[in-house]
């Protein structure tokens, strides 16, 4: 199966070069790499042009007006891709050399639309323990995807046909677009998982988009609400989403009340109550 790699980037040239190097060090090279630059203010073109000249595979570079949304950049990238499979890599993450070979083999052997792999999380150059959770990571993982993002973008290999079916990532979301995409993918396809750690997930730095607000749960609430409003769901799927949405809204409301934001707290308590009641009605 042919494979394209899409890398969104913005003003992080040293990190981008490291990410690109990890792609070029793969035991299974992709057919092409597509770098989508979110209108960087630093001049990253010359180093990429130099790298293009020495790359063993086609390296395409496209700059677009700044939007600040990884979802939009990934969508722009996979729309240009020629591969039957598309792998995504954030510019601040690093693949281990066996990553693509294992996931391509998994797609060739199994009827799956998306695969992901185990991560090693790094903070300040040191490995840190991942949050514990008994999440199902392969097969029908719909229920597990609702609670938190268990499929990181840089771990994904996705069939292009599935990306077309789902219309890619939700560009209305600034953050948690990977969480929302994982849920929608789990609704309509079987998920594959490689247990062997295949990626260094670099986190905790000031340039991380998720560090902009210091929280992510509110964006997950918006993602779940979008799925309820826009996605065709079975009664069971709708009930489960509303149960989790009620829990997240209640948690957010409690945090708002603790900080004295009572109007916001009341709004999310009402949303929690409404979703809990709707879920109960379908039970």
């Amino acid at each position: 199966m042919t494979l394209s790699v899409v890398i969104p980037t913005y003003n992080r040239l040293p990190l981008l070069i490291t990410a690109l190097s990890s792609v070029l060090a793969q035991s299974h090279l992709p057919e092409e790499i597509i770098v989508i630059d979110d209108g960087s203010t630093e001049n990253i073109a010359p180093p990429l042009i130099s790298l293009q000249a020495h790359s063993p595979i086609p390296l395409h570079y496209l700059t677009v007006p700044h939007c600040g949304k990884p979802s939009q950049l990934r969508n722009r990238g996979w729309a240009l891709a020629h591969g039957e499979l598309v792998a995504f890599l954030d510019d601040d993450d690093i693949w281990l050399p066996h990553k693509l070979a294992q996931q391509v083999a998994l797609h060739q052997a199994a009827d799956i639309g998306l695969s992901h792999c185990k991560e090693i999380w790094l903070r300040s150059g040191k490995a840190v323990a991942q949050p514990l959770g008994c999440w199902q990571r392969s097969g029908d993982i719909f229920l597990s995807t609702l609670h938190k993002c268990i499929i990181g973008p840089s771990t994904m290999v996705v069939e292009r046909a599935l990306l077309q079916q789902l219309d890619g990532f939700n560009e209305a979301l600034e953050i948690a677009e990977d969480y929302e995409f994982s849920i929608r993918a789990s609704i309509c396809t079987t998920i594959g998982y490689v247990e062997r750690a295949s990626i260094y997930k670099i986190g905790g730095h000031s340039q991380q988009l998720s560090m902009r607000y210091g929280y992510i749960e509110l964006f997950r609430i918006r993602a779940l609400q979008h799925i309820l409003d826009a996605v065709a769901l079975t009664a069971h799927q709708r009930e489960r989403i509303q149960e989790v949405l009620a829990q997240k809204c209640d948690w957010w409301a409690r945090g708002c009340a603790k900080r004295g934001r009572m109007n916001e707290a009341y709004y999310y308590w009402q949303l929690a109550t409404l979703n809990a009641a709707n879920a109960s009605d379908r039970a």
Side-chain angles (χ1 to χ4, degrees), residues 3-6 74-75 78 85-90 93 95 99-100 103-104 106-107 112-119 141 145 149-159 162-163 166 168-170 176-186 191-194 198-199 201:
L3 173 68
S4 301
V5 173
V6 173
R74 294 190 194 109
N75 285 345
W78 74 257
L85 301 173
V86 179
F88 297 97
L89 175 59
D90 288 350
D93 294 331
W95 285 345
K99 198 263 186 192
L100 291 182
Q103 287 182 254
V104 170
L106 187 59
H107 279 266
I112 57 176
L114 182 152
S115 68
H116 61 128
C117 61
K118 187 175 182 179
E119 301 170 300
I141 68 169
T145 63
C149 185
I150 62 172
I151 305 180
S154 296
T155 73
M156 291 182 184
V157 172
V158 190
E159 288 196 356
L162 179 62
L163 287 163
L166 297 176
F169 293 84
N170 184 349
E177 79 292 337
D178 48 351
Y179 166 75
E180 194 263 0
F181 178 82
S182 298
I183 295 171
R184 288 191 291 121
S186 74
I191 308 297
Y193 180 65
V194 173
S198 304
I199 172 178
K201 177 69 178 175

Side-chain angles (χ1 to χ4, degrees), residues 33 120 182 263:
I33 304 172
I120 300 172
S182 298
N263 288 339

Side-chain angles (χ1 to χ4, degrees), residues 30-57:
E31 274 64 40
E32 62 181 351
I33 304 172
I34 301 170
V35 176
I36 305 292
D37 176 19
D38 190 20
S40 291
T41 56
E42 62 184 27
N43 189 7
I44 72 172
L48 287 183
I49 292 172
S50 176
L51 191 58
Q52 278 177 323
H54 300 90
S55 174
I57 57 175

Side-chain angles (χ1 to χ4, degrees), residues 159-217:
E159 288 196 356
R160 196 174 192 282
L162 179 62
L163 287 163
Q164 291 172 323
Q165 178 182 346
L166 297 176
D167 200 23
F169 293 84
N170 184 349
E171 297 185 9
L173 294 172
E174 182 181 6
I175 296 173
E177 79 292 337
D178 48 351
Y179 166 75
E180 194 263 0
F181 178 82
S182 298
I183 295 171
R184 288 191 291 121
S186 74
I187 289 171
C188 60
T189 192
T190 302
I191 308 297
Y193 180 65
V194 173
E195 179 64 35
R196 183 182 180 187
S198 304
I199 172 178
Y200 287 120
K201 177 69 178 175
I202 314 298
H205 55 81
S206 60
Q207 292 178 306
Q208 236 179 332
L209 186 58
S210 59
M211 300 287 285
R212 178 179 297 176
Y213 299 100
Y215 58 81
I216 194 170
E217 204 66 6

